[in-house]
């Protein structure tokens, strides 16, 4: 977790490697490719996104933050960042594509340590860091990834071959009663909403399985450390 997952940085561990990589992406992969005249707005956007990694945000709020005249411009900039594989945007799940596009997006970075380098105080929130790690692994396993938000929230809704196949919550731990209640209740709402019988909560170190009754139905919840999930055959479940 401390070094992230960019192979060259893990190998050499030179402090200037990640800043240099970031600058290369900004200037070579985005500014030059899309013929943008200034890096100021783009860098401000990346700083904000990196500082709010694993959180949701709307294009409208980003438009105001950046002082841009059009939501379309914000959407274009975010598209440039995604095309460069610097960061990724996740839609709220809905059967309506229009509703997906109009809902806030959750943002994740290609590497959580790179996000810490270009953002502000990212490393202090272990839960957000773990969520970013899980997202990258889910993407690597070729899931279509969404988040759930109705009365409650669930971090990841997973789809393969037009079928929803999983729901995952991520948090540092569930030792606090309110945290456990929030994570479990959000997961249960998602399980019922998408017709699933089992859900997963990934944490820093906790492990176990328990069942919960929700609206007269019983659901199984598996708690697993993130490191064990990364080594598991979750994609085959």
């Amino acid at each position: 977790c401390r070094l992230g997952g960019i192979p060259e940085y893990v190998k050499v561990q030179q402090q200037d490697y990640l800043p240099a990589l970031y600058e290369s992406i900004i200037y070579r992969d985005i500014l030059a490719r899309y013929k943008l005249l200034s890096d100021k707005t783009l860098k401000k956007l990346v700083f904000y996104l990196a500082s709010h990694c694993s959180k949701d945000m709307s294009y409208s709020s980003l438009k105001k933050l950046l002082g841009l005249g059009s939501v379309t411009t914000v959407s274009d900039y975010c598209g440039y960042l995604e095309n460069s594989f610097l960061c990724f945007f996740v839609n709220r799940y809905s059967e309506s594509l229009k509703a997906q596009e109009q809902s806030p997006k959750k943002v994740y970075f290609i590497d959580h340590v790179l996000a810490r380098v270009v953002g502000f105080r990212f490393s202090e929130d272990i839960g957000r860091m773990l969520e970013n790690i899980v997202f990258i692994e889910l993407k690597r396993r070729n899931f279509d990834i969404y988040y759930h938000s109705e009365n409650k929230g669930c971090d990841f809704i997973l789809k393969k071959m037009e079928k929803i196949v999983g729901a995952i919550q991520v948090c540092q731990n569930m030792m606090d009663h309110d945290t456990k209640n929030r994570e479990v209740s959000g997961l249960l709402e998602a399980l019922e909403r998408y017709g699933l019988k089992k859900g997963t909560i990934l944490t820093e170190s906790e492990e176990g399985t328990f069942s919960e009754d929700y609206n007269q139905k019983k659901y199984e919840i598996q708690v697993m450390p993130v490191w064990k999930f990364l080594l598991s055959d979750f994609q085959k479940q």
Side-chain angles (χ1 to χ4, degrees):
C1 287
R2 183 177 59 85
L3 296 176
I6 296 177
E8 188 64 22
Y9 178 67
V10 173
K11 179 180 177 181
V12 301
Q13 297 184 35
Q14 293 179 353
Q15 290 188 347
D16 60 350
Y17 179 82
L18 291 179
L21 175 64
Y22 166 65
E23 293 289 324
S24 174
I25 293 171
I26 292 294
Y27 289 100
R28 184 188 64 193
D29 297 344
I30 300 178
L31 288 172
R33 179 180 180 185
Y34 298 103
K35 297 178 172 59
L36 303 182
L37 299 177
S38 171
D39 64 356
K40 183 177 179 181
T41 300
L42 184 64
K43 283 189 170 182
K44 186 176 181 180
L45 173 61
V46 174
F47 177 81
Y48 182 84
L49 295 176
S51 303
H52 294 80
C53 208
S54 305
K55 292 189 175 183
D56 60 352
M57 59 202 67
S58 68
Y59 287 158
S60 296
S61 64
L62 291 174
K63 184 192 78 167
K64 294 178 182 178
L65 172 77
L66 300 171
L68 294 173
S70 168
V71 170
T72 302
T73 304
V74 177
S75 176
D76 289 344
Y77 273 44
C78 290
Y80 301 157
L81 295 172
E82 196 157 31
N83 290 341
S84 70
F85 302 102
L86 181 60
C87 60
F88 305 92
F89 299 88
V90 174
N91 288 326
R92 181 179 71 86
Y93 184 82
S94 172
E95 285 80 7
S96 165
L97 291 178
K98 183 177 179 181
Q100 286 186 26
E101 289 302 314
Q102 293 178 344
S103 296
K105 319 292 182 187
K106 292 185 75 172
V107 61
Y108 299 96
F109 266 67
I110 189 64
D111 182 76
H112 60 280
V113 175
L114 180 61
R116 185 194 68 202
V117 169
V118 302
F120 178 69
R121 298 175 65 182
F122 175 75
S123 62
E124 292 186 7
D125 192 328
I126 301 299
R128 285 166 59 196
M129 180 186 73
L130 293 174
E131 188 176 335
N132 198 97
I133 291 171
V134 170
F135 168 81
I136 294 299
E137 181 63 18
L138 292 171
K139 191 167 184 65
R140 189 184 72 82
R141 299 186 189 198
N142 295 316
F143 287 103
D144 294 325
I145 307 168
Y146 303 86
Y147 73 91
H148 168 82
S149 180
E150 290 182 359
N151 295 319
K152 299 178 176 67
C154 182
D155 294 325
F156 298 117
I157 302 301
L158 309 177
K159 191 176 179 184
K160 271 194 174 181
M161 302 295 293
E162 306 304 316
K163 181 181 179 182
I164 293 179
V165 296
I168 296 177
Q169 293 278 49
V170 184
C171 61
Q172 182 176 4
N173 60 66
M174 294 192 296
M175 292 185 289
D176 177 75
H177 174 76
D178 290 339
T179 299
K180 181 177 181 179
N181 181 66
R182 181 182 68 248
E183 301 296 333
V184 170
S185 61
L187 182 59
L188 289 172
E189 182 182 83
L191 294 177
E192 181 184 56
R193 170 69 174 78
Y194 305 113
L196 301 170
K197 296 181 179 180
K198 298 180 180 180
T200 303
I201 300 177
L202 301 177
T203 70
E204 191 172 20
S205 59
E206 293 168 71
E207 188 170 8
T209 302
F210 60 93
S211 60
E212 287 281 339
D213 293 324
Y214 185 75
N215 289 344
Q216 300 181 334
K217 295 180 181 178
K218 188 176 291 291
Y219 297 91
E220 182 180 316
I221 297 177
Q222 181 180 20
V223 182
M224 183 188 302
V226 168
W227 68 264
K228 184 169 283 191
F229 162 76
L230 296 174
L231 298 174
S232 73
D233 289 330
F234 181 85
Q235 74 272 26
K236 297 181 181 179
Q237 293 183 2

